[in-house]
Each structure stands twice: as structure tokens, then as C-alpha cells.
């Protein structure tokens, strides 16, 4: 699979200075964690789940979570588990490429049980999403994962979700973060990424952000995100990939504030129609949140609607300017440090302070590609929406 692999080859070559790389579920974890992109969630109760998975793969989705937790009713869990087993078997029979597939469970015991019930179709499963993760609760999940991995003989990754009230509450936050760091460090090879459960954070205070606001406008949430990145997202080799929070809106809402999407990036004609459509579907707020995610050290995003996937991927592509700066900073002759003028002559690149940024940028360039010098977000989004 590859990002933008669903668009025609000629169109992809016209967009990219460096095309996104190909990868599989067996690629190195470092690459996979950066390549998750827009991770689309789907309730495990859907009767045609196998068809849904393949349909979304054809639209550019490369990672999906099939949910047995909050997206379904408590009374549906048993039927949802049985449905998952059937749908995985159907996908295995079709022998076609699927996105990276993860199952979001409720309790540790579900992990070895589902692995056993999936049988040979376990080869389609990349891992499990672990809800409400703390050191005490999360360790049991990770131990169950290690047991299941040993039983089935294949790599299974964990994606813990950081969403517990103990993490949100100020008096317990530091202790909780330290405990989480201890737990995930012990199982570092199995932890693919950490996911933020911002909806649960808001729920603890009876809050819900409007489509005019990003998660960063809700100060109590922004504070938690900053602390999570501070402890778990460091660039010194101890950090993990941390993904952006879910965007809840996908239908037309009555607007209170002006649109956040400037006209200037959108050219005349159909691009202006695209801008209007994004605004009408409240996706201008999503675009701003994606930009703020990356500015705050997050990569990828939890998505609950297919319409959110193309914007996440379009804004994940590395611009030609970013790529040029990153390459300049990482040239071997710059190892001693120093300051140089950007090839675009609009900024100074400080070699030592910007090295970690440059390394992360080149990793993102590997999985999402580098846009041609004259290609921007609008062209990338238009191409992503064309299928």
C-alpha cells in the first residue's frame, strides 16, 4: 500500500517531486507509525464490514480501527465479536490488499480470545487499540497482547488511547503520565503509536467543542495535549508517535463565526467550489486543527468519517520548501552545526536546533511524499477527492 496509491500513476507523478513509498504491514514499526495517516474508525457491528474495508482502501485509507468499545452498545459486544470473526474470514478468502487493521477492545481478555477465534485470518490484523490507558490498566492489556502474539506467532502492535480522567485532572496528571511512560517504554517494540481521546477529556467536564473551534481552543484539553507531548513525544529517542484527536463534525451546521479558510490558496473555477464545499461541511475547522496538530508535535489523526481522510493526507504531504530545508540541514558537511540561509531565501536554518525537525520531516516525506514546487494543498486535496 502507499498514500495516494488510489489515484492514477500519471496524476501522482504530476503532483509529487518524491512519491510516497510503498509499505506493508510487515514494514518497520518506525515507518508504519508515521504512515498511519487518517485512521478511520468503524463500529464492529456493521454487517458488511468486509465490503466497507475494501471500499475505503480504494479511496485511499491505509489504516482502520474496528471498534468494540464506545461506538457500540454494551449489549452488542458479543455479536460484534462474532461479526468481526466472520468479516475477517471473508476478507481472508478474497485475498486482496487491505489497510492496516486494528481492533479496539474493551478488556484485556478479549485480545487472546479474538486472536484464537480469528484463526488463519489473524494475518490481516496489525494489532489492538487499548482504551483508557493508564499504567495499572494498560499493563494488563500489554501483557495480554504479548501472550496473544506468542500464541499466534506474528507481530501484533498496540495503540494505547490516552483518555482517562486521571490524565486530565491536574492533581493526578504527572503521576499518571509517569506511569504511562513506564508501561509503554517496557513494551516499546510493540507500541506503534499513542492516540489521544479528546472526546473523553471533554466529557469529564461536560464540554463539547463546536465546529468553529479546534481542540486547541479548549484550554483544558490543550493543556493535556501539551503535557502528553512533553513527556511522551520527545525527539531524543524516548518519544512515541502521538496522533491527533478526532474531529467530530461532518454535516452542515449553523455557523457563528466567519470561515477560517482563506480564499487565496484556492484558484478560480472548481477550486473555489472546493473551498465552498469544505466550509459547508465544517471542514475548514478540521483543516486548521490538522495544522495545529503538526505544530504541536502530533502526526496522523483519528477519523470517524471518510470525508476527513483526504484533508488529513493532503496536509501531511511535505512541501517542496520543507523538503529543501530538511535536506540542507542534514547534509553530512553540516554535522558541525552552524546557520545557513534557506534555499528559498526566506528563513535561516540552524543546523543543530533544527536537526530533529529535519529528521522527522524526511520520515514524513518518505511515507507521504514531497509535493512538486508548484503543487499545494488544493491540488493534493482535489486529487485525493477525485476517486
Amino acid at each position: 500500500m502507499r498514500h495516494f496509491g488510489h489515484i492514477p500513476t500519471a496524476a501522482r507523478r504530476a503532483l509529487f517531486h518524491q512519491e510516497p513509498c510503498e509499505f506493508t504491514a510487515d514494514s518497520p514499526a518506525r515507518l508504519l507509525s508515521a504512515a498511519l495517516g487518517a485512521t478511520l474508525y468503524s463500529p464492529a457491528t456493521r454487517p458488511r464490514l468486509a465490503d466497507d474495508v475494501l471500499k475505503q482502501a480504494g479511496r485511499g485509507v491505509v489504516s482502520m480501527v474496528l471498534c468494540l468499545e464506545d461506538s457500540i452498545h454494551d449489549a452488542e459486544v458479543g455479536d460484534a465479536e462474532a461479526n468481526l470473526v466472520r468479516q475477517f474470514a471473508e476478507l481472508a478468502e478474497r485475498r486482496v490488499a487491505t489497510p492496516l487493521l486494528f481492533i479496539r477492545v474493551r478488556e484485556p481478555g478479549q485480545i487472546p480470545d479474538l486472536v484464537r477465534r480469528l484463526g488463519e485470518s489473524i494475518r490481516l490484523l496489525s494489532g489492538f487499540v487499548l482504551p483508557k490507558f493508564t499504567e495499572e490498566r494498560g499493563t494488563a492489556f500489554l501483557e495480554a497482547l504479548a501472550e496473544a502474539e506468542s500464541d499466534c506467532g506474528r507481530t501484533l502492535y498496540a495503540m494505547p488511547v490516552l483518555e482517562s480522567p486521571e490524565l486530565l485532572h491536574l492533581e493526578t496528571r504527572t503521576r499518571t503520565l509517569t506511569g504511562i511512560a513506564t508501561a509503554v517504554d517496557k513494551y516499546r517494540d510493540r507500541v506503534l503509536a499513542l492516540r489521544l481521546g479528546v472526546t473523553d477529556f471533554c466529557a469529564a467536564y461536560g464540554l463539547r467543542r463546536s465546529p468553529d473551534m479546534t481542540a486547541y481552543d479548549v484550554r483544558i484539553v490543550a493543556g493535556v495535549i501539551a503535557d502528553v507531548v512533553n513527556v511522551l513525544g520527545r525527539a531524543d529517542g524516548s518519544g512515541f508517535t502521538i496522533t491527533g484527536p478526532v474531529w467530530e463534525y461532518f454535516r452542515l451546521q449553523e455557523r457563528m463565526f466567519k470561515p477560517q479558510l482563506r480564499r487565496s490558496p484556492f484558484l478560480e473555477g472548481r477550486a473555489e467550489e472546493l473551498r465552498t464545499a469544505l466550509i459547508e461541511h465544517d471542514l475548514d475547522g478540521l483543516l486548521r486543527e490538522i495544522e495545529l496538530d503538526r505544530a504541536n508535535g502530533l502526526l496522523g489523526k483519528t477519523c470517524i468519517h471518510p470525508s476527513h481522510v483526504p484533508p488529513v493526507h493532503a496536509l501531511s504531504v511535505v512541501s517542496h520548501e520543507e523538503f529543501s530545508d530538511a535536506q540542507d540541514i542534514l547534509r553530512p558537511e553540516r554535522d558541525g552545526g552552524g546557520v545557513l540561509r534557506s534555499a528559498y531565501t526566506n528563513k535561516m536554518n540552524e543546523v543543530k536546533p533544527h536537526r530533529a525537525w529535519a529528521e522527522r520531516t524526511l520520515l514524513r516525506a518518505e511515507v507521504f511524499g514531497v509535493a512538486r514546487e508548484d503543487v499545494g494543498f488544493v491540488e493534493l486535496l482535489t486529487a485525493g477527492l477525485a476517486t
Side-chain angles (χ1 to χ4, degrees):
M1 70 191 85
R2 72 195 308 175
H3 284 289
F4 295 91
H6 64 299
I7 68 175
T9 302
R12 192 169 62 246
R13 288 175 178 169
L15 291 171
F16 288 97
H17 169 77
Q18 174 183 300
E19 291 190 42
C21 70
E22 292 186 346
F23 58 93
T24 72
D26 297 319
S27 294
R30 175 175 172 272
L31 188 74
L32 291 180
S33 67
L36 288 167
T39 301
L40 185 63
Y41 275 55
S42 176
T45 50
R46 292 181 65 87
R48 300 181 62 85
L49 190 57
D51 290 335
D52 294 341
V53 167
L54 298 181
K55 179 180 179 181
Q56 297 309 323
R59 293 179 171 179
V61 172
V62 304
S63 63
M64 289 186 70
V65 173
L66 312 177
C67 185
L68 292 168
E69 208 226 0
D70 286 348
S71 68
I72 66 173
H73 193 278
D74 295 348
E76 296 179 305
V77 175
D79 288 341
E81 289 178 343
N83 186 54
L84 272 184
V85 173
R86 287 193 301 271
Q87 301 293 335
F88 267 82
E90 183 176 339
L91 285 170
E93 286 179 5
R94 297 189 187 187
R95 297 187 178 277
V96 292
T98 66
L100 302 172
L101 297 178
F102 301 85
I103 298 174
R104 178 168 172 163
V105 291
R106 295 184 172 216
E107 300 297 337
Q110 289 177 292
I111 294 176
D113 179 59
L114 284 168
V115 167
R116 176 184 57 80
R117 294 166 64 184
L118 286 171
E120 292 186 2
S121 65
I122 189 67
R123 63 182 174 81
L124 301 178
L125 183 67
S126 292
F128 292 89
V129 175
L130 315 179
K132 300 171 178 61
F133 193 93
T134 62
E135 182 179 17
E136 297 78 12
R137 178 175 166 83
T139 297
F141 276 110
L142 292 169
E143 289 174 348
L145 181 71
E147 174 192 339
E149 185 179 71
S150 176
D151 289 343
C152 72
R154 63 169 282 110
T155 300
L156 294 172
Y157 290 108
M159 291 202 290
V161 185
L162 310 185
E163 56 187 346
S164 66
E166 297 93 331
L167 182 58
L168 182 63
H169 297 158
L170 189 60
E171 68 273 18
T172 55
R173 185 178 305 170
T174 299
R175 182 173 71 251
T176 302
L177 270 174
T178 301
I180 290 171
T182 299
V184 295
D185 187 62
K186 182 179 178 180
Y187 291 87
R188 175 170 292 274
D189 291 343
R190 296 282 72 82
V191 176
L192 191 61
L194 305 176
R195 312 199 72 88
L196 288 165
V198 165
T199 300
D200 279 40
F201 290 159
C202 290
Y205 287 86
L207 305 176
R208 186 174 190 179
R209 70 187 190 275
S210 75
D212 296 310
M213 296 183 180
T214 71
Y216 302 92
D217 294 314
V218 183
R219 292 298 185 89
I220 197 165
V221 170
V224 181
I225 294 174
D227 288 344
V228 167
V229 174
N230 190 322
V231 175
L232 296 166
R234 298 175 186 177
D236 59 2
S238 67
F240 295 83
T241 295
I242 303 170
T243 64
V246 67
W247 181 259
E248 297 180 344
Y249 296 95
F250 50 88
R251 291 181 180 175
L252 180 63
Q253 307 287 330
E254 183 178 359
R255 304 189 68 91
M256 180 178 294
F257 300 108
K258 289 183 178 180
Q260 303 174 61
L261 207 55
R262 294 185 298 110
R263 288 184 181 274
S264 55
F266 295 84
L267 306 176
E268 295 179 0
R270 293 191 63 187
E272 178 63 26
E273 294 175 8
L274 173 61
R275 176 181 180 271
T276 301
L278 292 172
I279 292 170
E280 286 179 348
H281 289 84
D282 291 319
L283 294 183
D284 53 326
L286 169 63
L287 298 178
R288 176 166 173 75
E289 186 166 285
I290 296 167
E291 287 285 88
L292 289 170
D293 285 341
R294 192 161 77 245
N296 284 277
L298 310 183
L299 180 62
K301 200 164 187 65
T302 295
C303 295
I304 46 84
H305 195 271
S307 65
H308 300 168
V309 174
V312 173
H313 290 169
L315 282 173
S316 297
V317 174
V318 173
S319 71
H320 189 273
E321 181 175 345
E322 290 176 305
F323 185 64
S324 173
D325 288 341
Q327 282 192 314
D328 281 350
I329 290 165
L330 294 177
R331 293 187 190 281
E333 62 267 28
R334 314 285 191 202
D335 286 348
V339 178
L340 59 147
R341 185 173 64 172
S342 164
Y344 274 70
T345 67
N346 60 358
K347 72 178 79 65
M348 299 302 293
N349 291 326
E350 294 192 60
V351 174
K352 289 184 178 179
H354 290 145
R355 175 169 292 275
W357 169 85
E359 290 170 346
R360 287 187 172 185
T361 298
L362 291 190
L363 177 59
R364 184 161 56 90
E366 185 174 358
V367 294
F368 288 102
V370 179
R372 290 190 180 273
E373 193 168 358
D374 59 346
V375 170
F377 158 76
V378 173
E379 290 84 1
L380 292 163
L381 179 56
T382 302
L385 290 170
T387 56

